[in-house]
Amino acid sequence: MYPNNIDDFVTDEHFKKWVLNPTDEIEEYWSDFLENNPKSKKAASEARNMIINFHFTSEDVSEKYEDRILANVLQKSNPLEGVHHKTSPKSGKTSLSRPRFQQNWTWAIAAAIAIIVASVFVFTSVDSNDENAPISFMKQNPDGIKTTVKLPDGSIVNLNAHSMVKYTGGAQSGERRVIISGEAYFEVAKNKLRPFIIQVGAVEVTALGTAFNVNTFNPEKLEISLIEGKVMVESRSLEKAVLLLPGEQATYDQDNGDISKTNFDKNEVLAWKKKVLVFKRSTYPEVIEKLQRWYGVKIKTHGNVQPDKWAYTSEFEDQSLENVLTLMGFSQGFTFEINKKNVELKFD
Amino acid sequence: MNINQDKNYNTHSAQIASVDESLLWSRFKNGDESAFIKIYKTYFKVLYNYCLQFDAPKEVIEDSIQDFFIQLREKHKNLSDTDNIKAYLLKSIRRRMLSLNSKQKFKVEYGGHSNLSVVPSAEDRLIQSQTSKSIKTQIDKGLSRLSSKQREVIYYFYFEDLSYAAIQQILGYSSPKIVRNLLYKAINSLRKTNIITGSVVLLAVLMSLFSLIT
């Protein structure tokens, strides 16, 4: 029997699981189900609304509090003992049970691990925007390193160098939440009822199952570029929302809080993913900043640069820093020296 | 009404999870300290929030949880086996909380802060955010009219995402069907007393459908 009214859906164990905490299997099953039973969509949607609106008292328990109680518990009780020790009469062989001192050691080590785990958690949660949200996933790239990671919900993130992604989303949240800095390309795992929300400063990007790029390297102008699907870009301050279609880019202006919509060049925006270093009418500071990030180096300038004369345009596909600087130096008139992570550019 | 038997979606991952759980539990029973800490870290928040549902002062709750874990450690060798640690712990601490509180009440909270929100799709997020507040209030009011037992079942099922079988274990019923019937009745009466909620939801759905078409 399939659920056909709201009560059936609300009380169906696996429908509930889909709403609150779906796995890939459950997600696939219910997506198919609703596609094949369009008449049930209304009841399913109402059922979902009900399920996520049950309220109970809840408090955010801090790790500090949790650890304080744990310390009390460990202090006020004896270290655990193996069962072979006394209870089982059959195990006459004492060799099965570990010597006492060794057990104390395991206990001490376990407690030490607990404290380390706790302090790591406190440490990582300090700089989070929402201190109380549990961080279920985090990845940070230094300069010069790009990675591809899979989030707990199955979404794929290409993370640029000098960038960070944090993911939260649990049984009760009904949504998937991501905080990023730097630049990232998202392929969001399909989940019609659990939106994927990216928070970038004062802007929220809501996606369902889509692919798009978010660039925050320029803090004054955040860029969200949509490749496929649909996303909504919302400014919190102005309560303005823009719906993007593929090929459209939303730019958030930090100064006036406005969001504008333009078309974008897909090759240019996604070049970093394909290891193509692109400069388009870039100023000198922009070029230096991008090179430092891309190759993970520190660049020093000697001699007279005329920054206002720079409007550098070029593309380098998967090239070494040496090759890039040779070509650039040739057209822009500088020589250079690379000493491991330190680079010096010399202008006449 | 149960569609679970004819679909194989409660399969692999669920089985692996329950094997992991019983393994972790038996490691704890065998005196493995790291297993205890893992259990503590995984379920402390669940237990704490659960205890908040009973009418008891904070200090009492804190002491109860602390004593609960101390006792769990003292008795570790003699605990029975389980493949659902969460249900096992909730059942044990429930007994403790009920013995504390003669009223045996599973209390109601109006609009307590919660991180739940209604966000069915990107397009109708704006519309929904305006209606969701009234849905919440309606459901909160409805909850207060239910029996304490019904609220408790709702808590386990929706807040803790437990299965009927696990709730049956906690409440000591003879079959999961009893739990399901209890919940079905609760949901039904909740919806009947909340016709306004229904129409608000309906309105939201219609509006979202409309925005999809346009």
Side-chain angles (χ1 to χ4, degrees):
Chain A
M1 270 291 268
Y2 293 109
N4 50 37
N5 64 39
I6 301 173
D7 293 356
D8 286 353
F9 275 113
V10 175
T11 56
D12 187 282
E13 219 171 308
H14 284 82
F15 181 79
K16 171 209 61 169
K17 189 111 208 148
W18 181 48
V19 173
L20 296 177
N21 208 1
T23 63
D24 286 353
E25 286 168 274
I26 297 177
E27 175 61 33
E28 200 184 322
Y29 174 80
W30 285 104
S31 294
D32 285 356
F33 177 87
L34 289 181
E35 216 136 277
N36 297 327
N37 302 275
K39 280 182 190 158
S40 298
K41 268 188 185 162
K42 198 185 118 202
S45 175
E46 287 188 38
R48 181 192 139 81
N49 248 332
M50 193 158 181
I51 288 173
I52 60 174
N53 273 298
F54 287 116
H55 265 199
F56 290 90
T57 319
S58 80
E59 269 179 30
D60 296 311
V61 182
S62 73
E63 295 295 309
K64 247 188 205 164
Y65 180 76
E66 195 178 308
D67 288 337
R68 186 166 63 76
I69 307 283
L70 178 60
N72 287 349
V73 169
L74 293 176
Q75 241 170 46
K76 290 182 182 170
S77 58
N78 298 317
L80 298 181
E81 287 173 18
V83 277
H84 315 294
H85 217 52
K86 296 165 198 162
T87 44
S88 161
K90 276 181 189 168
S91 66
K93 293 176 194 167
T94 39
S95 59
L96 271 175
S97 67
R98 274 178 275 161
R100 181 78 197 183
F101 70 89
Q102 208 178 330
Q103 282 183 18
N104 282 339
W105 268 110
T106 13
W107 179 79
I109 290 166
I113 290 171
I115 290 162
I116 292 165
V117 168
S119 51
V120 165
F121 192 95
V122 169
F123 207 69
T124 49
S125 60
V126 165
D127 62 340
S128 125
N129 280 7
D130 180 359
E131 279 191 36
N132 298 319
I135 296 166
S136 44
F137 181 88
M138 181 175 145
K139 176 80 190 169
Q140 190 157 19
N141 282 345
D143 283 349
I145 306 277
K146 300 186 194 71
T147 51
T148 302
V149 292
K150 195 172 180 182
L151 300 180
D153 74 318
S155 298
I156 309 283
V157 181
N158 290 281
L159 192 63
N160 205 343
H162 196 92
S163 302
M164 183 275 301
V165 60
K166 268 184 204 169
Y167 172 92
T168 58
Q172 281 123 42
S173 58
E175 56 185 34
R176 300 168 281 175
R177 233 164 223 287
V178 166
I179 298 170
I180 76 154
S181 69
E183 182 168 27
Y185 175 79
F186 292 88
E187 278 167 45
V188 177
K190 284 206 166 66
N191 186 332
K192 282 184 191 144
L193 296 185
R194 284 185 89 211
F196 189 94
I197 300 172
I198 297 168
Q199 200 181 308
V200 207
V203 182
E204 274 189 3
V205 183
T206 305
L208 295 161
T210 54
F212 55 93
N213 192 74
V214 180
N215 184 349
T216 73
F217 280 132
N218 179 353
E220 272 113 55
K221 276 196 161 57
L222 307 176
E223 289 174 359
I224 295 103
S225 318
L226 186 66
I227 305 299
E228 69 177 58
K230 262 184 197 173
V231 298
M232 189 165 73
V233 181
E234 239 181 302
S235 124
R236 289 169 158 191
S237 51
L238 269 188
E239 296 191 343
K240 184 177 175 180
V242 166
L243 185 67
L244 287 188
L245 297 174
E248 290 179 338
Q249 180 179 62
T251 307
Y252 174 77
D253 192 321
Q254 198 90 321
D255 288 338
N256 55 21
D258 197 20
I259 302 174
S260 57
K261 205 157 89 167
T262 49
N263 293 321
F264 69 96
D265 179 355
K266 190 174 156 185
N267 289 330
E268 189 190 335
V269 169
L270 294 186
W272 68 271
K273 258 186 76 196
K274 295 174 193 147
K275 296 186 180 169
V276 182
L277 179 60
V278 179
F279 297 103
K280 208 167 180 182
R281 302 186 55 76
S282 303
T283 64
Y284 185 69
E286 278 169 4
V287 169
I288 297 306
E289 195 199 322
K290 202 161 185 180
L291 283 176
Q292 293 192 136
R293 212 163 56 216
W294 194 272
Y295 293 101
V297 293
K298 282 262 168 286
I299 298 178
K300 270 188 191 161
T301 310
H302 300 280
N304 294 324
V305 199
Q306 286 164 307
D308 43 321
K309 284 192 181 160
W310 275 64
Y312 188 69
T313 301
S314 192
E315 279 186 22
F316 304 95
E317 191 176 342
D318 206 6
Q319 294 288 320
S320 69
L321 177 61
E322 196 172 0
N323 287 349
V324 172
L325 289 180
T326 307
L327 289 166
M328 194 186 287
F330 190 70
S331 68
Q332 304 299 111
F334 63 79
T335 56
F336 65 94
E337 241 174 69
I338 302 177
N339 204 338
K340 285 179 186 166
K341 293 282 163 198
N342 293 309
V343 178
E344 295 187 20
L345 304 190
K346 290 165 189 164
F347 291 83
D348 298 330
Chain B
M1 283 298 160
N2 197 334
I3 64 155
N4 308 342
Q5 284 103 5
D6 58 351
K7 284 291 144 202
N8 53 355
Y9 48 31
N10 51 348
T11 50
H12 260 30
S13 44
Q15 272 165 20
I16 291 166
S18 72
V19 168
D20 286 351
E21 286 261 290
S22 46
L23 208 74
L24 180 64
W25 190 249
S26 71
R27 272 174 49 210
F28 165 55
K29 283 180 61 184
N30 282 306
D32 183 340
E33 284 287 358
S34 66
F36 172 77
I37 286 171
K38 172 103 204 263
I39 291 169
Y40 179 94
K41 287 262 161 192
T42 312
Y43 296 110
F44 180 85
K45 289 188 180 76
V46 170
L47 293 175
Y48 184 85
N49 272 311
Y50 177 68
C51 290
L52 288 179
Q53 310 309 316
F54 296 86
D55 235 339
K58 284 273 166 65
E59 311 82 64
V60 176
I61 289 174
E62 185 175 318
D63 286 350
S64 301
I65 294 183
Q66 193 170 306
D67 292 349
F68 170 76
F69 276 111
I70 291 173
Q71 218 177 60
L72 202 67
R73 287 170 62 80
E74 312 273 90
K75 298 189 305 191
H76 70 275
K77 291 181 223 165
N78 306 318
L79 299 170
S80 52
D81 290 322
T82 183
D83 62 358
N84 189 335
I85 298 177
K86 186 160 148 184
Y88 187 100
L89 296 178
L90 284 174
K91 185 185 179 173
S92 327
I93 205 157
R94 177 178 189 266
R95 225 178 290 135
R96 183 178 281 267
M97 293 310 288
L98 289 181
S99 69
L100 277 179
N101 187 347
S102 52
K103 285 185 214 150
Q104 308 212 342
K105 263 226 159 159
F106 208 77
K107 69 173 179 179
V108 195
E109 189 78 11
Y110 286 104
H113 70 94
S114 155
N115 44 8
L116 307 183
S117 60
V118 191
V119 213
S121 80
E123 290 96 304
D124 53 14
R125 221 159 88 74
L126 290 178
I127 305 162
Q128 286 281 336
S129 67
Q130 282 146 18
T131 54
S132 65
K133 269 188 196 127
S134 51
I135 295 169
K136 276 178 188 161
T137 345
Q138 292 296 331
I139 289 179
D140 284 347
K141 273 186 193 157
L143 274 177
S144 66
R145 294 195 201 99
L146 298 177
S147 73
S148 161
K149 189 50 74 54
Q150 284 175 318
R151 276 200 299 275
E152 195 177 345
V153 170
I154 286 175
Y155 182 86
Y156 297 133
F157 196 72
Y158 301 110
F159 198 79
E160 281 308 334
D161 194 14
L162 289 168
S163 66
Y164 285 127
I167 301 172
Q168 173 218 337
Q169 247 183 62
I170 293 172
L171 295 175
Y173 288 140
S174 56
S175 125
K177 273 195 180 149
I178 302 175
V179 183
R180 195 188 174 278
N181 289 340
L182 200 65
L183 185 71
Y184 201 90
K185 268 185 204 147
I187 295 302
N188 198 263
S189 73
L190 202 56
R191 292 206 322 107
K192 270 183 188 152
T193 53
N194 276 313
I195 296 162
I196 308 163
T197 310
S199 56
V200 169
V201 175
L202 185 66
L203 184 73
V205 169
L206 285 176
M207 286 173 88
S208 64
L209 284 177
F210 181 72
S211 73
L212 275 180
I213 295 163
T214 54

